[in-house]
């Protein structure tokens, strides 16, 4: 039997699953859209993943990350549940030794992680603004009826990128429409948009951070070659896109799970790929015990409550392992 | 029946409540405070307050709504200056607080909007106390006694906090006595700085202190530093800021960066707070300057979902722990 380690990253836009071996080589990976239904997507993903994993691999540990990490952790039986910052830092350091800066742009948030000697020394996440994240690019691609996959390639064709206001998604859009009505070609507008997003990212998330090479750029948006070029132009350094750029969070979670199990010598809590066949349901209710009226979520597996969360006082919290 | 005076459990409450409570009780009033902030307080506040006010001001409105039908008077001091310190005053919304309430909330009882400007000298607080007492027909000797006991209560409260208690722990200790059970010392110490009404209200800050302690970090605050030590740190600023609470937070940041080094600084800030926009940046720059002190900003707004804050705190603590291991 070969040992395998599962990592799951459930973000706002995408859900990524990965299985690595004991040397952290990727055995199988999957990138799915969350589409607002994390439970269904995790089950579907697990079903697909079980077909992708080579025969004779046994899952020895599981880790989850992303904004739905707790939900995912309860569903599959995770040995470790970690925040995205730590997961990304761990994953990237493994594949780009000595990495000092990680630029990550996902569906709804973006972050920067500064590392020195393999240790996170500083990080920032976007605060209130979604301009520059994947969702916004998606939306603009749809408006221009350009498949998002071709966005980068078109951007690279531009000779004279137009200047677009990138401070705010709403202003950026009206600015783009304005430029388009003036007759600028689509390539220049798209390249201009990439530059605007990079400017906004560096001003907002990257404000005051010491960005030193090697610089890694990852998250779904790293698929866009136009964004890579815009970053390189703005920073004056080469920007490396790791091979598994879209699933780095999941990869980090898998590595953390492996480390957790190896160091603790415990048996994994992973429930197996059978979770695909379980029936998972959530029901929520409003607790009336105090004026806080917390929205408590109950999580059922095959009709049994296995977890409950959401109360401020903690009186409802249950976490069966 | 004694006159019932209502004290909203918010804003300057966390700085001065023992003084107010003692004073009014010694004058023969019944003191009634609003309950700790809940979702209802927030909902009421958002409904009543002007739309572009910050969350703390809205919450204060919510506390006033809770009190308005239960008391005869609501005490909303107009805090201008509590010390003579350059051009420092309270933020303009504190100065306008009684007016904001009157303009927004219907059916208010009398608002006792005593103006507090202590920059005139040490006797000023007594003069103000006398004015309040005499308005309600209390004799001079009783006012003097109330004043002295109030000052004593506040001194005790401050001492307790300087001894390491958080505001609610100190207040509980003064009310019920007994020892606050101090659990064992944790691996990390983090300074959580910002305005007292963000740091000590566990509802609006989404339980930051409790969460940090659970993750293995002891929490220290500006109130745990003696005023003398804070003033000494003030000299590091080439020019003082205009706002009282901002200065205190910044001075405390210097203290924890230099005198009693902590593992990290967390600045809790209210979204759209003008003074904070500057304070936050200043703290961040200085944290980097003074030996790379790890720094995190946690921005507080109306949201009750704690996902964003949890992720940031968890990542921050992870970072500090991994740094430790390396050193």
């Amino acid at each position: 039997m070969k040992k395998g380690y599962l990592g799951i990253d459930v973000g706002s836009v995408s859900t990524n699953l990965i299985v690595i071996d004991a040397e952290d080589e990727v055995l199988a990976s999957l990138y799915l859209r969350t589409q607002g239904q994390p439970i269904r997507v995790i089950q579907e993903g697990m079903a697909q993943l079980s077909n992708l994993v080579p025969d004779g691999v046994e899952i020895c540990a599981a880790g989850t990350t992303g904004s739905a990490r707790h939900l995912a952790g309860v569903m599959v039986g995770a040995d470790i549940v970690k925040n995205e910052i730590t997961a990304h830092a761990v994953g990237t350091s493994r594949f780009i030794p000595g990495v000092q800066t990680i630029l990550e742009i996902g569906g709804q948030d973006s972050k920067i992680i500064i590392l020195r000697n393999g240790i996170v020394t500083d990080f920032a996440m976007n605060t209130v603004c979604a301009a520059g994240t994947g969702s916004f690019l998606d939306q603009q691609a749809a408006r221009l009826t350009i498949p998002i996959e071709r966005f980068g390639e078109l951007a690279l064709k531009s000779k004279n990128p137009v200047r677009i206001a990138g401070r705010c998604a709403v202003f950026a859009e009206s600015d783009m429409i304005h430029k388009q009505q003036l007759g600028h070609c689509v390539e220049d507008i798209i390249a201009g948009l990439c530059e605007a997003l990079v400017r906004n990212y560096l001003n907002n998330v990257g404000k005051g951070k010491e960005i030193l090479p090697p610089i890694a750029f990852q998250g779904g948006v790293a698929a866009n070659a136009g964004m890579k070029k815009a970053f390189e132009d703005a920073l004056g350094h080469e920007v490396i896109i790791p091979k598994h750029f879209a699933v780095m969070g999941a990869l980090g979670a898998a590595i953390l799970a492996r480390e957790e199990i190896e160091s603790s010598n415990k048996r994994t809590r992973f429930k197996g790929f059978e979770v695909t066949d379980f029936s998972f349901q959530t029901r929520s209710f409003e607790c009336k015990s105090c004026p806080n009226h917390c929205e408590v979520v109950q999580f059922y597996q095959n009709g049994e409550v296995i977890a409950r969360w959401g109360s401020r006082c903690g009186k409802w919290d249950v976490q069966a392992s | 029946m004694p006159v019932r005076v209502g004290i909203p459990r918010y804003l300057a409450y966390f700085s001065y409540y023992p003084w107010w409570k003692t004073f009014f009780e010694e004058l023969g009033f019944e003191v009634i405070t609003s309950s700790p902030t809940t979702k209802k307080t927030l909902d009421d506040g958002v409904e009543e307050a002007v739309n572009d006010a910050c969350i703390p001001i809205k919450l204060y409105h919510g506390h006033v709504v809770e009190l308005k039908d239960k008391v005869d008077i609501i005490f909303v001091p107009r805090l201008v200056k509590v010390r003579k310190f350059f051009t420092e005053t309270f933020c303009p919304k504190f100065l306008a607080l009684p007016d904001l309430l009157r303009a927004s909330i219907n059916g208010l009882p009398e608002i006792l909007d005593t103006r507090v400007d202590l920059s005139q000298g040490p006797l000023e607080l007594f003069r103000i106390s006398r004015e309040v007492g005499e308005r309600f027909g209390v004799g001079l000797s009783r006012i003097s006694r109330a004043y002295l006991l109030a000052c004593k209560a506040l001194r005790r409260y401050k001492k307790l906090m300087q001894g390491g208690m958080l505001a609610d722990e100190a207040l509980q200790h003064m009310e019920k006595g007994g020892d606050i059970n101090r659990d064992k010392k944790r691996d990390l110490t983090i300074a959580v700085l910002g305005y007292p009404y963000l740091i000590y209200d566990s509802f609006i800050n989404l339980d930051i202190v409790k969460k940090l302690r659970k993750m293995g970090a002891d929490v220290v605050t500006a109130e745990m530093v003696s005023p003398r030590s804070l003033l000494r740190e003030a000299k590091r600023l080439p020019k003082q800021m205009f706002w009282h609470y901002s200065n205190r937070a910044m001075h405390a940041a210097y203290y924890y960066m230099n005198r009693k080094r902590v593992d990290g600084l967390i600045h809790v800030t209210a979204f759209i707070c003008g003074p904070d926009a500057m304070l936050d940046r200043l703290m961040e720059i200085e944290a980097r300057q003074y030996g790379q002190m790890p720094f995190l900003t946690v921005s507080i707004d109306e949201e009750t979902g704690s996902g964003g804050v949890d992720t940031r705190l968890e990542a921050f603590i992870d970072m500090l722990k991994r740094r430790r291991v390396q050193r």
Side-chain angles (χ1 to χ4, degrees):
Chain A
M1 266 320 218
K2 194 175 177 188
K3 286 183 173 174
Y5 303 90
L6 171 70
I8 304 179
D9 178 356
V10 189
S12 54
V13 173
S14 73
T15 295
N16 315 317
L17 298 96
I18 206 166
V19 175
I20 56 170
D21 65 13
E23 273 73 53
D24 297 337
E25 284 305 316
V26 177
L27 300 175
S29 84
L30 206 57
Y31 181 96
L32 300 167
R33 297 247 157 183
T34 309
Q35 291 176 322
Q37 304 189 29
I39 298 178
R40 218 198 64 207
V41 170
I42 293 169
Q43 282 191 302
E44 262 179 39
M46 290 294 281
Q48 290 183 33
L49 193 71
S50 67
N51 295 326
L52 291 173
V53 177
D55 287 339
V57 171
E58 185 199 5
I59 302 297
C60 297
T64 59
T65 186
S67 41
R69 59 185 179 277
H70 294 291
L71 182 81
V74 170
M75 272 182 72
V76 303
D79 300 297
I80 193 161
V81 176
K82 263 291 171 216
N83 63 81
E84 304 90 290
I85 301 283
T86 310
H88 275 279
V90 166
T92 311
S93 307
R94 183 70 181 78
F95 291 91
I96 305 175
V99 62
Q100 298 210 79
T101 309
I102 299 173
L103 316 169
E104 203 267 348
I105 305 188
Q108 223 173 59
D109 63 13
S110 48
K111 39 189 154 316
I112 187 167
I113 307 171
I114 305 292
L115 301 98
R116 296 291 179 264
N117 304 317
I119 301 290
V120 177
T121 58
D122 201 3
F123 67 87
M125 296 171 82
N126 60 334
T127 44
V128 282
C129 177
T133 58
S135 314
F136 177 62
L137 279 178
D138 259 4
Q139 200 189 327
Q140 292 314 314
R143 201 179 62 77
L144 296 168
T145 60
I146 296 170
I148 185 76
E149 294 77 17
R150 288 197 55 219
F151 227 72
E153 163 201 337
L154 282 172
L156 292 183
K157 283 191 190 146
S158 158
K159 298 260 170 353
N160 293 303
V162 294
R163 191 182 162 90
I164 287 170
R167 204 89 187 92
C168 158
V170 178
F171 291 162
E173 174 160 347
S174 43
D175 212 20
M176 274 172 66
I177 293 175
H178 177 65
K179 294 281 152 70
Q180 145 207 323
Q181 308 298 55
L182 284 176
H184 289 283
C185 67
V186 160
E187 288 85 355
D188 289 347
I189 292 174
I190 290 178
L193 182 65
C194 292
E195 286 182 0
L197 296 189
V198 165
R199 208 161 48 234
N200 185 41
Y201 175 93
L202 293 175
N203 272 327
N204 179 358
V205 185
K207 175 190 70 181
K209 301 276 179 280
E210 203 186 2
I211 299 176
L212 296 178
I215 302 167
F217 175 31
Q218 58 204 49
V221 175
N224 186 328
M227 289 294 288
K228 174 180 190 283
K229 180 167 183 298
F231 265 121
E232 287 179 334
D233 290 347
L235 295 171
H237 287 293
E238 190 205 354
V239 167
I240 306 163
I241 298 184
K243 187 169 159 210
H244 305 288
F245 66 89
V247 293
M248 273 317 220
L251 190 48
I255 295 175
L256 284 163
R258 177 176 60 69
E259 288 175 355
E260 171 75 16
I261 283 296
E262 282 173 358
S263 66
S264 68
N265 267 327
K266 274 192 233 140
R267 270 189 60 80
T268 180
R269 288 196 255 176
F270 179 56
K271 296 175 186 169
F273 284 103
E274 294 92 279
V275 293
T276 313
D277 306 323
F278 291 176
S279 111
F280 288 109
Q281 273 173 327
T282 55
R283 257 174 251 156
S284 60
F285 64 91
E286 209 178 67
C287 170
K288 298 274 200 291
S289 306
C290 84
N292 277 334
H293 291 219
C294 295
E295 293 139 17
V296 181
V297 177
Q298 302 207 79
F299 195 77
Y300 297 87
Q301 174 182 310
N302 298 333
E304 238 179 284
V305 180
I306 55 165
R308 217 188 269 129
W309 56 74
S311 61
R312 296 192 69 119
C313 63
K315 80 172 205 181
W316 292 104
D317 293 2
V318 192
Q319 191 118 328
S321 52
Chain B
M1 214 170 91
V3 178
R4 294 165 305 171
V5 54
I7 297 183
R9 191 189 287 260
Y10 203 60
L11 294 181
Y13 166 91
F14 300 104
S15 305
Y16 306 114
Y17 176 66
W19 199 102
W20 299 342
K21 175 186 149 75
T22 313
F23 183 70
F24 285 114
E25 283 183 352
E26 288 299 324
L27 292 191
F29 291 43
E30 184 191 348
V31 172
I32 297 174
T33 52
S34 52
S35 21
T37 307
T38 63
K39 196 159 139 196
K40 185 169 184 324
T41 323
L42 179 64
D43 290 346
D44 287 345
V46 169
E47 196 177 311
E48 298 289 348
V50 287
N51 188 37
D52 51 0
C54 58
I55 277 298
I57 292 295
K58 289 182 179 174
L59 274 183
Y60 194 86
H61 282 65
H63 281 279
V64 169
V65 168
E66 186 195 324
L67 285 172
K68 71 177 178 134
D69 299 321
K70 298 181 189 162
V71 297
D72 307 306
I73 302 166
I74 300 183
F75 180 55
V76 184
R78 194 186 298 273
L79 291 173
V80 183
K81 297 176 184 186
V82 287
R83 59 178 175 182
K84 191 171 161 57
F85 186 68
F86 301 94
T87 54
E88 179 190 276
T89 67
F90 280 81
C91 130
K93 295 203 176 86
F94 272 74
L95 306 189
L97 202 50
D99 312 313
L100 281 168
L101 293 169
R102 287 195 192 102
S104 299
I105 304 178
N106 290 325
L108 281 179
E110 183 190 336
I111 296 278
L112 181 59
D113 61 350
T114 314
R115 183 185 151 94
V116 180
D117 178 351
L118 306 184
S119 61
Q120 303 303 313
L123 296 177
E124 195 58 16
L125 186 59
F126 180 70
R127 193 195 61 74
I128 296 167
S129 309
R130 186 172 167 183
E131 206 178 275
V132 172
E134 284 177 347
R135 234 202 81 192
F136 294 98
V138 183
L140 186 58
S141 65
R142 193 164 180 190
I143 295 173
S144 308
R145 188 183 137 81
Y147 168 81
L148 290 172
L149 288 172
C151 291
K152 194 175 154 201
L154 187 65
R155 270 200 303 277
R156 174 145 180 256
Y157 176 58
K158 287 184 171 170
K159 270 271 162 318
L160 288 174
M161 289 206 281
Q162 282 163 35
M165 284 188 197
L166 297 170
D168 52 343
E169 293 168 341
L171 289 173
Q172 198 192 346
H173 181 79
M174 288 174 78
E175 214 112 296
K176 299 192 183 129
D179 256 341
I180 300 295
N181 60 9
R182 289 279 173 78
D183 27 22
K184 57 185 187 312
K185 229 172 129 40
R186 299 175 180 83
D187 295 346
L188 298 167
T189 306
I190 292 179
V192 179
L193 304 175
Y195 307 139
Y197 44 88
L198 294 177
I199 307 290
Y200 299 121
D201 190 296
S202 60
F203 178 85
I204 201 62
N205 70 25
L206 302 163
D207 257 335
I208 283 183
V209 173
K210 203 161 105 193
K211 282 175 183 161
L212 285 171
R213 285 178 170 175
K214 218 167 143 189
M215 290 178 198
D218 279 319
V219 170
V220 291
T221 64
E223 281 66 35
M224 295 181 191
V225 186
S226 73
R228 184 192 300 234
S229 301
L230 285 181
L231 275 179
R232 203 165 47 211
E233 300 302 318
K235 298 195 189 83
R236 294 179 195 270
L237 274 176
K239 178 179 182 295
Q240 301 301 317
M241 283 175 280
F242 294 118
W243 321 121
H244 175 68
Y245 280 132
S246 311
N247 274 333
R248 274 184 67 89
M250 193 61 221
H251 300 160
Y254 281 126
Y255 178 82
Y256 287 119
M257 284 188 276
N258 296 289
R259 305 276 164 185
K260 200 176 154 226
R261 229 175 132 76
V262 290
D263 297 291
L265 285 185
I266 295 181
H267 180 215
V268 183
T269 159
F271 183 56
I272 77 156
C273 170
D276 259 3
M278 179 179 158
L279 175 63
D280 187 58
R281 193 79 182 100
L282 182 62
M283 237 187 236
E284 187 185 352
I285 292 170
E286 293 294 62
R288 185 155 301 137
Q289 208 102 120
Y290 285 87
Q292 299 284 330
M293 171 69 72
F295 178 81
L296 177 75
T297 303
V298 172
S299 170
I300 299 295
D301 198 25
E302 238 176 87
E303 56 191 316
T304 45
S306 64
V309 169
D310 289 353
T311 300
R312 284 169 177 80
L313 291 181
E314 202 189 303
F316 192 64
I317 296 288
D318 260 7
M319 172 174 100
L320 299 183
K321 282 187 177 161
R322 286 186 170 239
R323 269 184 157 201
R324 270 251 157 127
V325 173
Q326 201 198 28
R327 256 192 237 138

